[in-house]
Amino acid sequence: MSRDSQNIHIQVPETAPSFGQLLRVFAHIGCLSFGGPAGQISLMHRAVVEERRWMSEERFLHALNYCMLLPGPEAQQLATYIGWLLHGLRGGLAAGLLFILPGLAVMLGLSVAYGLYHETGWLQSLFLGLKAAVLAIVVEAVFRVGRRALKGRLHHGLAAVSFLALFVFGIPFPLVILAAALIGLVFARKTAVVTDELNEARPAPTMTRTLLSLVVWLAIWQAPLVLLLLVSGDAPAFADLFSFFSKMALVTFGGAYAVLAYVAQMAVDHYGWLRPGEMLDGLALAETTPGPLVLVLCFVGYLAGGRSGSGLDPVLAGTLGLLLTAWATFVPSFLWIFIGAPYVERLRANAYAAAALSAITAAVVGVILNLSLWFALHVLFGAVEKLEFGPAALPWPVWQSVDWKAAGLAALSAVLLLRLRWGVARVLGLAAALGLALPQL
């Protein structure tokens, strides 16, 4: 036995879920995952750590650290990672799919309605209450995660600096995370390592198994492109669509906003898939549906397919374009988790890697605070400006644009959640009903 493996504290979940329980919980999360990554991470944390104790706080944050380093939707990857930890391959597939399918179904319906009627104004009333309630959930999660993740002055400093780097200076997200990891390595200390039976029961990864998994998932990811290239007629436009969004899946570090400007430019000017201004309409749809914000790319895929001139019915062609975009965008997330997670879990047995990931945890608190404050500004205010001070640009609300309905619903939701201890589904249901009723009052 190696020196590092001695005196390891074994920690197990208080309640190990059945596969059926996993399915029910992530179906529930998938339907309620409003509010962007901050809201989605908050919902998962509340469900699997706080309420059901399926895993420890440390294990949850360890998984989140890795997902924050990956391109693509970090919340979907976190759901996949949690499912994989609890029930292996089938658990990861189930949790990851259940997280995105409700939002994808809603986005398909909204895209069809937009393509036929170009009308989205009614969504504002429908989702006003939901977004206000999610804001209360997000704020609660920031304080809860921060209290448990920040241990000592170094971690508090990393969280503060990460928040300022993102919110004020707009430093690219990957640079913030990498800098935190390097600082963690510099200040690393040889300490005891925490593991648990979820890890001990799983066989150690091997290079052969990893390469086989890589080949299989790459083949699954690119299978639609091969099929498109083998057929004639409709293939060129759809093959271009699939190839473009496959490339985007590799560079979407830091969430959808990191690539929206580039996608909008290419979709409008290069490919002619969208008209000017339609990207903002798609973003409004994505922000009001459950699931990751990167679903806006599926809206682009729908319009591109419907306008491809393929000879198919526009709704059918648009649906095909949306599904191809979703496949190109979301399948790589499964690849990153099923290949990388086994190695990331083993890093828990390395003190230096654990120190780097612990520093990333602190930086991620700053990231979540940044996402939360951005979300709050855009829920509570109709207009947000930027106050520029040299290299700094501070987002600042236009106070006259405050949405008192949203503010009131957010305050009510906070009282129900924090003081009266209502469940999330109950709070979201009441907030959604009030959001629909308020315009009529």
Side-chain angles (χ1 to χ4, degrees):
M1 181 179 290
S2 68
R3 186 177 175 181
D4 286 342
S5 63
Q6 296 177 359
N7 300 322
I8 290 177
H9 175 64
I10 295 180
Q11 194 177 50
V12 296
E14 291 187 16
T15 306
S18 67
F19 187 65
Q21 289 174 316
L22 181 76
L23 293 178
R24 287 191 294 274
V25 167
F26 275 94
H28 185 260
I29 291 173
C31 292
L32 300 178
S33 57
F34 297 89
Q40 293 150 8
I41 292 168
S42 302
L43 283 173
M44 279 186 275
H45 181 273
R46 189 182 184 96
V48 305
V49 177
E50 290 289 324
E51 295 179 349
R52 293 168 181 83
R53 300 186 183 277
W54 287 350
M55 61 177 54
S56 66
E57 184 84 29
E58 292 76 16
R59 199 56 173 276
F60 181 90
L61 292 173
H62 185 79
L64 178 60
N65 292 340
Y66 174 58
C67 296
M68 284 287 183
L69 295 173
L70 300 173
E74 60 268 32
Q76 184 219 351
Q77 291 158 353
L78 178 60
T80 305
Y81 198 129
I82 293 171
W84 173 80
L85 274 176
L86 297 172
H87 277 283
L89 178 63
R90 68 170 184 162
L93 285 171
L97 288 172
L98 288 171
F99 181 79
I100 60 173
L101 286 179
L104 185 62
V106 172
M107 179 56 72
L108 174 58
L110 295 177
S111 298
V112 171
Y114 182 89
L116 294 175
Y117 307 112
H118 291 269
E119 177 58 48
T120 61
W122 57 274
L123 287 172
Q124 295 178 1
S125 297
L126 180 62
F127 292 108
L128 170 68
L130 286 173
K131 293 169 74 172
V134 167
L135 177 57
I137 297 170
V138 166
V139 171
E140 179 196 20
V142 169
F143 286 104
R144 187 191 307 121
V145 173
R147 283 196 303 267
R148 298 181 180 181
L150 303 181
K151 302 171 183 176
R153 294 180 180 178
L154 176 63
H155 283 178
H156 281 85
L158 282 172
V161 170
S162 298
F163 168 73
L164 292 174
L166 292 164
F167 189 75
V168 179
F169 295 96
I171 295 175
F173 171 81
L175 292 181
V176 174
I177 296 299
L178 287 175
L182 291 175
I183 292 172
L185 284 174
V186 169
F187 289 93
R189 296 178 180 177
K190 202 75 172 178
T191 57
V193 181
V194 177
T195 187
D196 58 40
E197 291 182 357
L198 287 175
N199 196 40
E200 295 298 312
R202 189 173 289 111
T206 65
M207 187 57 63
T208 300
R209 187 181 293 114
T210 300
L211 290 175
L212 178 61
S213 182
L214 175 63
V215 170
V216 169
W217 278 102
L218 283 175
I220 292 172
W221 181 26
Q222 293 300 304
L225 180 61
V226 175
L227 293 175
L228 288 170
L229 294 176
L230 289 177
V231 301
S232 59
D234 303 332
F238 290 112
D240 287 343
L241 180 72
F242 188 85
S243 298
F244 176 74
F245 284 108
S246 291
K247 295 172 186 175
M248 289 300 97
L250 299 175
V251 297
T252 52
F253 292 94
Y257 284 107
V259 294
L260 284 185
Y262 178 73
V263 170
Q265 181 183 11
M266 293 296 291
V268 174
D269 297 333
H270 182 73
Y271 291 105
W273 292 333
L274 271 64
R275 303 183 184 98
E278 287 185 330
M279 191 66 170
L280 291 177
D281 292 338
L283 183 59
L285 295 180
E287 286 183 326
T288 53
T289 58
L293 187 60
V294 78
L295 281 169
V296 66
L297 303 183
C298 297
F299 169 80
V300 177
Y302 179 87
L303 293 185
R307 297 167 180 172
S308 63
S310 61
L312 298 174
D313 175 80
V315 174
L316 178 60
T319 301
L320 178 58
L322 179 143
L323 293 176
L324 287 171
T325 302
W327 190 281
T329 301
F330 294 114
V331 169
S333 294
F334 294 104
L335 184 154
W336 309 136
I337 298 303
F338 294 140
I339 290 177
Y343 291 96
V344 173
E345 284 302 300
R346 297 290 157 176
L347 289 178
R348 287 165 60 84
N350 182 293
Y352 292 102
L357 289 172
S358 177
I360 292 174
T361 298
V364 164
V365 174
V367 172
I368 296 175
L369 179 59
N370 168 63
L371 293 170
S372 303
L373 191 52
W374 183 94
F375 181 56
L377 288 173
H378 287 79
V379 169
L380 300 178
F381 298 92
V384 179
E385 300 176 333
K386 280 191 178 291
L387 302 180
E388 296 187 2
F389 306 93
L394 179 65
W396 194 256
V398 177
W399 295 100
Q400 295 84 350
S401 69
V402 63
D403 187 334
W404 292 108
K405 293 179 182 178
L409 288 172
L412 174 62
S413 299
V415 171
L416 295 176
L417 280 168
L418 303 178
R419 298 292 297 177
L420 301 182
R421 302 294 180 184
W422 279 29
V424 171
R426 191 179 177 190
V427 172
L428 287 172
L430 177 62
L434 291 175
L436 280 171
L438 282 175
Q440 312 302 323
L441 299 178

